[in-house]
Each structure stands twice: as structure tokens, then as C-alpha cells.
Amino acid sequence: MADGIDALCYEFGAGKSAIREQFERATKLKESGAENIYDFSIGNPYVDAPPEVNESIVHALELPSVDLHGYTANRGLTYVREAIATDLRQRFGGNYSADDLVLTAGASGALTSTICALTSPGEEVIVLTPYYPEYRMFIQAWHCKCIPVATQPTTFQPDVDAIERAITPCTRMVIVNSPNNPTGAIYDEQILRDLGAMLRRKSAELDKTIYLLSDEPYREIVYDGRSNPWVAGTYSDTIVCYSYSKSLSIAGERAGYVLVPRSVINHDRVIDAILGAQRVVNTIMPSIIQRVVGECVGAPAPMDAYTRKRGLIYEGLARIGYEVVHPDGAFYLWMRALEPDEDAFSDRAFEHGLLLVASNDFGIGGYERLSYCVADETLAGCLPAFQELWDDYGGYTW
Ligand code: PLP
């Protein structure tokens, strides 16, 4: 008998992501008392939130209950959006205002509302491999096609010619993510400008707007004083999706936003469509967390901690002989597997207590992702296990 279960929703729920599978595997092992488990699966910041976060929660608790716990406007409290807009203007120039912002439940809420609002069933959304696996779900949920396009080998920078070749009359959007999860690459400003110029030309040629969606949860997590280009400054039809999960270490609180710059064509209609999508999927930022964001906008990311963690794992693995991409941003290490079958490699790593995420979920083969926002002891303690794994294989087999 037909049970009415939606096939896509079922697939998303029953088929867990490789990241979650490894995370749950590690959690079960730890709960059963197993020792020497090195869990590099999930990007859950293991760095304290800045003191301002807890202080602002205490301030919020002083508000009258009906104000604090009542509904807010769907787009978020005005003073919070004003604080964010001021911060953006100070850092990136532009004329951003509260009216350009919609507060959301994390970047996930921002991404899914934006894709819902700006696509029609059957349209295509281009993602660059290796890509954050949830994009596939956010795109397919709205009956659009996820079109993977390879980045440049070794640098993992966007390949503008390859993106152009993938554009068809059905293309509606290109998603970029810099600093990148999983490679740690920061996209080069000139390449972004070339991408913008190409999208402008293709939009005119196809007589439709092709949006650039810039997913920026790691915007502030940038090493060695490198600069991180402001993507919205390179193409007028850029929509920015942001998250406080990583910069403030508050991933469980669900805080993010969509920024629709004034330069975006039909700006007000775009904002209204995103608000409409939000009503449907209800990705509104919780009231108390809006107030936290209002007080913590501009708090610096904990770069000392992440720089130390990057050094421990990157140098440790490179010393053994692993081919690892030096991350310029975010907190992931992208490592070439010792054998071409990345699933077989992560199973073998698991035998040594190492929980890595195989690259096929990110749209390419032969790599593993390590999330190094974990305890320093894990980063130092795992190296003997990585050495044993290396010795098991006798180094690279391919
Ligand atoms: N985009 C990328 C590239 C991410 O890595 C993540 C989370 O890890 C997200 C979006 C979702 O972030 P949020 O926790 O704000 O929903």
C-alpha cells in the first residue's frame, strides 16, 4: 500500500552523510569506553566561544520574558541586522543596510532558503568539487539538479573555463565556498573577478540572472595574515550566506544570515522570496541567539588556537609522508589516501582508531577529510596511529 513517504526526504533521512556516519561511529565507540579513538569526522568547533557569548546570554535573560521568548519578525530584530550591516560596511565597504539582511538558523538555513527562493524545479545549480556534501541535499530538495564541476588540480581554485562549459540555459546559480571546506583553499581574487565577468556575460547571453551564492561560514578563519577576498565585491548578483557556527564556536545555537546586496537585480523581490521560503522551512534564528549576535558581531575568531591545531596535524602528517594540502583557511585537512579506494582506506584507518571522512561524499575520489577543530591532545596523540597506518601500507600505493 502506498505510504505517502516522500522518496527524497526518506533518502536524506535514512542515508546518512559520511560525516555523520563517522561521527556516530566514533561517539558509540567512546561511549562503550574504547580508548585511543581519534575522531576527525565533524566540523564541531572544539574551542571555547568568546566570553562575550555567555555574557550576552546573561544580559538577554534580564529582558522581560515576553520580549525575550516571543516571536521576532521573520527577518530578525532590526537592531541586530543594523549591527551586522554596520560591521559589514566597516570591513568591506559597500552600502549594506539592515534591509539587505535576513537572519537565519545557521548557514544551512540561509542556503536552503536562498536556493528555495531563487530556483524553479528542473533548474541547475553548479557546485565546485570537492564540495560541502549538504549542498546536494539543499539543491535536490527543491527539485533542482546539482551539477559538479572540478576545481583546478592541486590548487583547488575555481576553473572558470570548466564552469563556463557547464552552464546551460537551465543554470540558475553557482555556489562558491571560500575559505573552503574541505580543502582549506582561499579563492584567488582575480579568479573570482574572472568568474564574475564570465557570469555577467553568460547571464546576458542567456537573458537570465545567474546568481553567485557565496557560502562563507569560515570567512574569519584565515591563517598567516592572508587576505580573504570579499566575493560580493566581484559580481553584482552575489548572495552571501553566513554562519556564526564557526567564528563564534556556537554551531548548536543555529545563527547565520543571508545578505542580498543592493546591486542584486530585483533586490526587494529577492528579499521577499527569501522571507517566503523562510516561512515554509522555518529557518528563523532563535530569539535569544539573535540578541547574542547583536552583542558579538565583530568578535574575532580564535585564530591562535586554530593556528596551533593546524600546525600540530599538518606538520605531523607531512613529516610521516602523507600528501596533505596546506590549509590557508577553515579547519580541515585534505589528504590524499594511501590507496585509490578512499572507502577502503578509511576502513583501514578505522582499524587504527582514526575516523576520517572519505572524499566520495565531497564529489571526488582518492582523498580523505580531517576536521582538526578537535582537542590538542587528539592532534598530538593520533600521530603514532597515522604512522602505523602508513607502515601498514608501506606508504603510497598509487
Ligand atoms: N557550509 C559549509 C561549507 C559548511 O562547512 C557548513 C558546516 O559545516 C555549513 C555550510 C553549515 O553551517 P551551519 O552550521 O551554520 O548550518
Side-chain angles (χ1 to χ4, degrees):
M1 203 197 302
D3 57 14
I5 292 174
D6 179 77
L8 260 184
C9 290
Y10 176 77
E11 189 192 316
F12 295 157
K16 293 208 179 68
S17 77
I19 298 172
R20 282 272 161 190
E21 244 170 41
Q22 288 291 65
F23 178 60
E24 285 170 20
R25 210 172 176 189
T27 308
K28 264 196 204 124
L29 276 174
K30 285 181 211 156
E31 280 168 4
S32 72
E35 284 177 3
N36 301 331
I37 300 299
Y38 304 106
D39 177 10
F40 298 104
S41 59
I42 204 164
N44 209 359
Y46 192 87
V47 174
D48 284 345
E52 293 96 306
V53 166
N54 287 0
E55 286 161 16
S56 57
I57 291 174
V58 173
H59 293 163
L61 293 177
E62 287 159 8
L63 288 167
S65 175
V66 285
D67 288 347
L68 179 59
H69 299 303
Y71 291 122
T72 66
N74 284 353
R75 67 191 310 162
L77 295 162
T78 307
Y79 85 89
V80 178
R81 288 182 288 112
E82 273 167 359
I84 296 171
T86 304
D87 179 61
L88 290 174
R89 280 197 307 274
Q90 282 166 356
R91 289 163 64 198
F92 306 114
N95 57 349
Y96 308 116
S97 78
D99 293 343
D100 305 333
L101 287 157
V102 177
L103 306 189
T104 57
S108 305
L111 287 158
T112 199
S113 304
T114 303
I115 296 170
C116 169
L118 299 182
T119 59
S120 303
E123 288 193 319
E124 295 172 359
V125 178
I126 292 176
V127 297
L128 310 185
T129 63
Y131 57 83
Y132 176 58
E134 302 296 286
Y135 290 157
R136 227 175 16 242
M137 212 178 64
F138 297 152
I139 294 165
Q140 290 173 350
W142 308 110
H143 304 284
C144 292
K145 289 194 194 111
C146 176
I147 308 292
V149 172
T151 48
Q152 299 182 39
T154 68
T155 63
F156 300 100
Q157 293 288 324
D159 179 340
V160 178
D161 291 341
I163 299 170
E164 179 165 3
R165 284 195 298 275
I167 291 179
T168 74
C170 294
T171 305
R172 176 57 75 195
M173 189 180 278
V174 176
I175 302 182
V176 290
N177 163 226
S178 172
N180 184 263
N181 171 10
T183 63
I186 294 179
Y187 290 171
D188 177 81
E189 178 147 11
Q190 188 53 50
I191 294 178
L192 289 167
R193 290 195 180 284
D194 293 346
L195 175 63
M198 184 275 284
L199 292 178
R200 241 181 318 277
R201 182 163 44 76
K202 292 305 279 186
S203 294
E205 207 175 293
L206 296 169
D207 193 24
K208 66 186 290 191
T209 310
I210 302 177
Y211 297 102
L212 183 63
L213 193 162
S214 180
D215 178 26
E216 308 184 358
Y218 306 97
R219 187 197 291 146
E220 287 78 22
I221 303 184
V222 169
Y223 301 98
D224 309 321
R226 282 199 50 145
S227 71
N228 180 29
W230 176 236
V231 179
T234 64
Y235 180 58
S236 54
D237 286 307
T238 301
I239 314 278
V240 178
C241 291
Y242 182 74
S243 171
Y244 291 96
S245 293
K246 320 290 175 172
S247 56
L248 292 181
S249 302
I250 55 168
E253 306 298 355
R254 316 310 301 131
Y257 62 75
V258 184
L259 168 73
V260 182
R262 286 268 138 201
S263 57
V264 170
I265 192 157
N266 296 326
H267 171 276
D268 294 358
R269 281 165 48 80
V270 168
I271 289 270
D272 280 342
I274 291 170
L275 287 170
Q278 254 209 338
R279 280 173 73 183
V280 176
V281 286
N282 216 290
T283 60
I284 296 160
M285 192 194 292
S287 159
I288 190 163
I289 299 306
Q290 292 189 32
R291 295 162 206 279
V292 170
V293 168
E295 286 196 33
C296 297
V297 165
M303 287 317 297
D304 286 351
Y306 286 132
T307 304
R308 193 179 64 245
K309 290 178 192 300
R310 179 187 67 162
L312 281 169
I313 191 73
Y314 174 80
E315 280 152 28
L317 293 186
R319 216 175 299 120
I320 295 172
Y322 287 98
E323 288 176 27
V324 275
V325 177
H326 189 251
D328 289 326
F331 42 54
Y332 303 100
L333 204 59
W334 194 235
M335 177 178 104
R336 195 160 81 86
L338 293 179
E339 61 170 300
D341 181 340
E342 64 281 352
D343 279 328
F345 179 72
S346 57
D347 284 346
R348 197 90 169 255
F350 182 67
E351 289 167 19
H352 294 269
L354 298 164
L355 284 109
L356 318 178
V357 183
S359 62
N360 42 24
D361 231 24
F362 299 85
I364 66 170
Y367 285 83
E368 302 286 327
R369 188 197 78 171
L370 283 80
S371 169
Y372 60 81
C373 52
V374 297
D376 287 8
E377 302 78 65
T378 306
L379 296 166
C382 70
L383 295 176
F386 271 108
Q387 181 68 59
E388 284 166 22
L389 179 63
W390 175 272
D391 295 342
D392 243 19
Y393 277 94
Y396 278 94
T397 62
W398 63 307

